[in-house]
Structures are given as structure tokens and as C-alpha cells.
Amino acid sequence: MTLVAMLATACSGSSSGDKDKNDLSLIVPLTPALWDTRQTASTLLAGQLLVNEPLMAYQQNGSIVPNLAEQVSRPSATAYEYTLRPGVKFSDGTPLTAEDVKFSYELHSAKDSPSYSAAYWARVKSIETSGDDKVTITLMAPDPQFQYTIAKTGIVSKAYYDKNGDKVGTPDVPNIGTGPYAFSRFVPQSETTLVASPGYRGKQPPYAKITMKTAKDDAARVLTLQSGEADGVLNAPLSQIDSFEKLDGFSGQEAPDLAYYRVNFDMKKAPFDDVHVRRAITHAIDRKALAEGVFGNRAELAPTMVPESIMAAVGDAAEVKKAYEGFAAGLTFDLDAARAELKQSNSPDGFEVEVPVTQGDPNQSLIVQTMAQDLAKIGITLNVKSLDEQGFGDAVYFKHTADGLSVDSWNGGTPDPINIPRNTLTPGLFGNASQYDNSRVNALLADYQKKDTDDPSRVTMLLQALAITAEDAAVVPLFTPKVYAFLADGMTLKGFDTFWYMTRWIDNITTSS
């Protein structure tokens, strides 16, 4: 009998078809095609990090504390030395070593790595081990975000990968880790079952089994809750909030999201290489009508790509407020101004453009169709083209095969306010759908990275970079939605926020009788 089978048997606790009170079943936005740490990010980390623990753990209060690492030291501004906690074992009983940590990180830092976080690891100069318990990472330059990269990167077994290769993370060869849970059952892009690992070194987790599943469609999501098959839904689709609020037996929680919807202009393609075209479209978008029509009262207009509260938390609130008022003033809905800008462009009579949208986000299509009504008034025709996730990624982020205009939602991967700007404005990064390249912005973002996290001048630099981006009309920030969770009455995800999935969230679910 395999380890996973033994774990599943040990934790079953109920007859087939019955839901044990020690089991937790949740609807989640996505289930990956592969449970490999290179292929998980954002909410997918909710499952991955319960199995493949990180060296350092992100806490609800925003701090990052030792986890698999017993301690961390800073030999220099660019170096981190981690000393591993003694006695830690993987779920197959083998000990955790420094070589496992080095191997785990090199999966992401290797040249041409398919890792979703490869851009973060590309800043690493070297990864060295000393004995069985020390790992030293040296960066090419100081990076205040690097601590979050460590907190989001799960540690895997080198020996397990050496034995199983590319099969690791598949249904037949589930990944193994040091965490409180182990993978039990996995149906790619559909459902994952985790079971408590009996050999875990620490306190046993509150649930013997966790099932995380995705719904085929909106109706299935509601029916799954109504039937009692699931205890709740995390990161609930905004289009369904009204439906969830009407369900008996469930209560909702909400929090601001570190994400924003945006309009991208591929500045390497005509006519979007013309700033007057970009400004014309900016003025022809009724952002308020879009926010109300698409999200109701569940989104706030975004003056720029970073929520004001995130920026103000690390800088001077008055300085931030003044800057954001200026950003908002430049995003007025004004068709006369839009026509005047278009007349100054190389396309004064307008043009037609095909706009890709992904089937995975129905809001994109609705946004484009609504935008099209106003843009038609100035002579610009938008035609929607629906693509699957891979096709959309190639068209907008990787191969840039789209005509040049797109709408998407971009999430911040860390609480640091530079996260979104750096990933969406830096040349060469796939988040830079506009292929934007401004030397002044590049320099400001680079200088930000050199400053200590408590240096208030960082925010001044970032505000300057965002002001230049706004002047260039590189993107049109639309709105920042909220993030929602609905759990069965009596259950609460304590401290629920946009980064819940980076924490050991399972310990934060409380119940009341």
C-alpha cells in the first residue's frame, strides 16, 4: 500500500458517501493541471503550501517568520543565510536537508524554467549550501520583495524528483512535502483531496481531510453549496455574490483585493504606438458605468494600478492622497476630449481592432462589450474574440499575437506596493502586456529596490513612476474589485484578506456551535 493510500485510509473516519465532521470541503477558483511548485501561484498556493512548506511563513499581520528555517541572518544587503530546523522530515520519512532546499529553489531559478515565479528567482546570483542545515542565497541587488518569494515557494524532496522526474505532481505521482497535509487524490483542473500527515512534526491540523474542487459553471457552484456537498467557497466570483448572499445557511466575508482590471495597449503595434490614440481611448472609457454595470458596488474605481491603502501604509498618507487625486483627474470620461486626441493621431478617422478575452473570466467580455458602445462614438470598433486560457496568455502576455488592445485583471503577488508596477511595467516580464519601456520609469523602479523597506522615499519614487506611466497612457486602470468568501453558518475564516492563501489558513477557520 502506498503512503498516500495509507494516509487516506487512516483519515477516512466515515463511510463512503458520508461527510465526516472532521472533513472540510471547499469550492476554489482553480485546480492546477499539475501539483508542481513551478505551476502554482496565487490561490493555488492554498493547497500547495499545506503540503510543500516554505522556509519562512507569511503571517496575517504581514510579518514573515521562520518556518522550516529555524533562523535567518543577513550577512550583507544582498545575502540571506537560512539555518534549517532540526528533525524535519518529508511525509515519506526522509529528512529535510539543505540540498533539498537548494534543489527546490533551482527549479525556479534555472534558465528557461517554466516556473510562474521565474521572474522573481531570476534576480538570484547564487544558492549555496553549507553542511546539511545551511542555505545561503545571494541576490544580484537588494530586493525588498524577496522575503515574499521565499514565503511563497514550497520545499520539495530532491530524491523524490530524481526518482520520478516530470511525473511529480501528477495524479499517479503526487508531490510530497514536510507539511501538515499530504496529497491523496487529484483530478487535474477539477478536484484535489489532502489528508492530514500523521508524521507531521507539529500540532496536527484541525481537519483530517480537505477537499478543494472547482465548479463546472455558475449553476454548479450554487448547487454544490445548496446540497451541502461543500462547506463554502473561497474567492467567490463577483458575478455570483448576489446568489450566494441569498443562500440559506451561509455567511459572507469581504476584503479589499490587491488586484485591478486594466486596459492594455501593445505599444509596439500601430495604432497603439501613438500616445494620442491611447489617450483618446482613455477618455472614451466610462469607468464608473463599467464598475457599476459589471460589479455593482463590489469594486472601486482605480486611479492607478496600486490601491491607495497599500501605498499609504508604507508612505506619507498626505503625499499619497494628493498624488492619487491627480491620477483620478486624468481619467475623466470625456468624449469631446477623446475625439480631439484622436484627431491629433495617425488614425484620425478611427479604426477596427479585435480584442481577445479569456473564457475563464466572463467579466472581460462584458467590459469590452460595454466599452465598445462608447468607443464606437469616436470611430473605434471593438470586436470580441473568445480564447481559452492558453490562447489568451499567448495572445496577450507571451507571444503578443493580439491586435494590440486587451483587457485583463492583474493581481499583486505580495503586499509590497511595487509588486504590480514592477511586474507590469518592467520590459521583458510577461505581465507587461503593453510592452512598455520607459527609461525614467525603469530607473525609478530600480532605485526603489535599493532602498530599505522603512525608507519613505521609496513611495515618492513609486508615485513618480506611476505619474510618468499615466502621462504615457501605458494602461488604463479601471477598478479594484473586492474579494469574497462564503462559509457555512458558524464557520469563519479569521483574518480573511486578499493574501489568505499565503498563510496557514486552515488554522484560521473557526467554528461556533
Side-chain angles (χ1 to χ4, degrees), residues 277-454:
V277 168
R278 302 195 299 270
R279 289 173 181 168
I281 293 174
T282 299
H283 284 302
I285 297 174
D286 190 342
R287 300 186 312 130
K288 183 177 180 181
L290 276 175
E292 293 176 351
V294 177
F295 296 121
N297 61 351
R298 300 184 177 92
E300 297 179 356
L301 293 183
T304 186
M305 59 187 68
V306 182
E308 183 175 348
S309 59
I310 298 295
M311 192 76 77
V314 295
D316 180 76
E319 178 188 20
V320 172
K321 179 178 174 60
K322 181 178 179 180
Y324 274 59
E325 289 173 348
F327 296 150
L331 293 169
T332 56
F333 173 54
D334 187 336
L335 291 178
D336 288 335
R339 293 187 184 98
E341 286 286 354
L342 197 61
K343 287 299 181 184
Q344 298 180 64
S345 76
N346 293 325
S347 303
D349 298 321
F351 53 88
E352 187 171 345
V353 59
E354 186 176 79
V355 184
V357 297
T358 174
Q359 299 165 358
D361 185 355
N363 294 320
Q364 288 182 7
S365 180
L366 183 56
I367 289 170
V368 175
Q369 291 173 24
T370 306
M371 282 173 45
Q373 298 174 29
D374 285 318
L375 286 172
K377 298 173 184 177
I378 66 169
I380 298 176
T381 300
L382 305 185
N383 299 315
V384 175
K385 182 177 181 179
S386 183
L387 301 172
D388 60 21
E389 292 289 337
Q390 181 175 346
F392 183 83
D394 285 343
V396 176
Y397 306 125
F398 300 109
K399 298 180 180 179
H400 299 282
T401 55
D403 284 356
L405 190 149
S406 62
V407 173
D408 69 351
S409 173
W410 193 265
N411 288 50
T414 75
D416 194 299
I418 200 177
N419 182 267
I420 291 179
R422 184 168 68 178
N423 285 296
T424 60
L425 300 177
T426 301
L429 296 189
F430 75 89
N432 189 348
S434 293
Q435 301 201 73
Y436 183 59
D437 188 354
N438 183 298
S439 59
R440 291 186 297 161
V441 171
N442 298 340
L444 286 164
L445 296 182
D447 287 343
Y448 179 103
Q449 297 300 111
K450 300 173 185 177
K451 299 292 184 180
D452 292 333
T453 56
D454 59 354

Side-chain angles (χ1 to χ4, degrees), residues 3-220:
L3 171 69
V4 169
M6 289 189 289
L7 286 169
T9 300
C11 296
S12 59
S14 62
S15 61
S16 178
D18 294 331
K19 185 177 180 302
D20 191 278
K21 64 180 181 178
N22 291 321
D23 296 346
L24 180 69
S25 179
L26 297 169
I27 302 172
V28 293
L30 296 170
T31 299
L34 191 71
W35 277 114
D36 183 307
T37 59
R38 289 169 290 188
Q39 303 299 305
T40 53
S42 188
T43 57
L44 292 174
L45 294 174
Q48 189 85 65
L49 293 181
L50 290 179
V51 176
N52 300 104
E53 292 180 288
L55 281 191
M56 305 289 288
Y58 178 78
Q59 305 295 292
Q60 286 186 327
N61 63 5
S63 65
I64 294 177
V65 302
N67 188 47
L68 291 181
E70 185 175 46
Q71 63 182 26
V72 57
S73 61
R74 298 290 305 277
S76 71
T78 58
Y80 296 76
E81 183 180 86
Y82 299 96
T83 301
L84 302 187
R85 192 177 300 279
V88 177
K89 295 181 178 181
F90 288 98
S91 57
D92 65 354
T94 59
L96 169 71
T97 70
E99 284 299 324
D100 293 307
V101 176
K102 180 179 180 182
F103 175 80
S104 299
Y105 293 159
E106 289 178 341
L107 286 176
H108 304 273
S109 65
K111 184 178 180 180
D112 298 326
S113 171
S115 171
Y116 291 169
S117 59
Y120 296 105
W121 287 98
R123 305 175 188 119
V124 172
K125 181 178 181 181
S126 65
I127 304 172
E128 304 293 339
T129 62
S130 177
D132 287 336
D133 67 343
K134 283 188 173 55
V135 178
T136 300
I137 299 176
T138 303
L139 307 180
M140 296 178 182
D143 185 350
Q145 284 200 99
F146 185 70
Q147 58 180 334
Y148 299 111
T149 300
I150 293 295
K152 294 191 296 181
T153 305
I155 302 303
V156 303
S157 164
K158 181 179 184 298
Y160 193 70
Y161 270 75
D162 287 345
K163 177 182 178 181
N164 297 291
D166 291 340
K167 294 181 180 178
V168 175
T170 65
D172 294 332
V173 187
N175 215 325
I176 65 168
T178 61
Y181 286 91
F183 290 110
S184 173
R185 180 174 180 268
F186 171 45
V187 180
Q189 298 179 324
S190 178
E191 184 174 326
T192 301
T193 300
L194 306 179
V195 290
S197 180
Y200 182 62
R201 68 187 182 280
K203 179 183 177 182
Q204 282 294 298
Y207 293 93
K209 181 170 72 174
I210 304 173
T211 300
M212 296 181 291
K213 61 182 70 176
T214 54
K216 294 180 180 179
D217 51 42
D218 288 352

